[in-house]
Amino acid sequence: MSGLRHQLGFKEESTYGTYVAPTTFLHTKGSSLEPVIKRVQAESFRGGQFAAPAAHYVDTVRGGKGTIPLEVMTTGMGKLLRALMGSSASAQQAATAAYKQTHTLADTVVGQSLSVQASRPPRAGGSAVPVTLKGAKVTAAEFECKTDGLLGASFSLDAQDWDNTTALAVASYSNSAVPFGGTSMCVKLGAYGSEASTTGIKSVKVSIKRNLDTEAYYACNGALKAEPAETDWPVEITGSMSQDWAAKTDIEDLAVAKTSTCLDWVFTGANIASTYYYTFRLRLPGIIFEPAAQTVAGRDILSKDWDFVYRYDGTNTPVIEYITTDTAI
């Protein structure tokens, strides 16, 4: 069988590492859910041996890791966004079918773990083989879109445990999920709350990394890690945008002067009701472009990829707004 028989689902756990059967299933581009096992060979030896003995090759600690690549859809994304950002709220818009989810950057240490499960279809028919991560924490996510493409995302996971024996959950999918695309993309820069559309933008990429201590292996815990705690600066956000040269005030002046600006990256889909549309909006209230200037490489249109980093502006917090017909996150 091909990967077309693949399914992937997840559910938020009540207790870190305690499996709950998935109830949310997304269209994905595949998945990679793998065990992480540390294996140590004993250094002790005895005479007459020519190779290290297999009995002394010992598993010590274990865990899991994963990657979920997908397109960002108009429904079903809430739980992944909450696991990434940390704090979430949902509010019905007037008396319509539209619900606005607000995912604000916050602590993800306690109560933000998922049980994640995928299937591997067998080549010659029969039952699909499940693979499961328990205690999965989102450690990073990358969002990227070109004007002639779709809004893609990839979520990276660290897990307390992995197995391939937990029974496969029965999948059910939303028939209303539609991907966001570049034709619905707008990029705005400027002072927070007063951002303005920036001309010539061809693509944007934003990477959000959660710095967690994923090596918290302690005694009396059966080789499994404790729920990861934040370490270093808890969040690193970087990105880039490609722009055909328009005016030096758009980005170049900001880059040279180290001027902080707000990135308001918005995708607007079909109308849900009244003035409410399916929306994916990532707002970074303090990005600083790396030092650079537009160059001339030849006869073609002048264009450049501008790299940036997020730096806290002292007041405002990064947020993802998601307007959907999902009545609950």
Side-chain angles (χ1 to χ4, degrees), residues 279-329:
T279 302
F280 179 89
R281 181 182 192 182
L282 174 59
R283 180 179 255 184
L284 300 178
I287 67 167
I288 298 176
F289 288 97
E290 300 289 7
Q294 179 65 57
T295 58
V296 180
R299 298 187 298 271
D300 291 338
I301 296 294
L302 300 188
S303 186
K304 187 171 184 61
D305 292 338
W306 301 89
D307 296 329
F308 60 81
V309 296
Y310 163 72
R311 292 293 183 264
Y312 180 47
D313 68 359
T315 304
N316 304 295
T317 304
V319 66
I320 294 176
E321 294 177 357
Y322 183 55
I323 299 179
T324 177
T325 50
D326 294 335
T327 57
I329 296 175

Side-chain angles (χ1 to χ4, degrees), residues 7 19 33 117-121 127-132 162-169:
Q7 72 177 55
Y19 172 77
L33 309 183
Q117 187 181 67
S119 66
R120 288 81 55 81
S127 300
V129 178
V131 58
T132 305
W162 172 100
D163 75 59
N164 59 3
T165 58
T166 301
L168 187 64

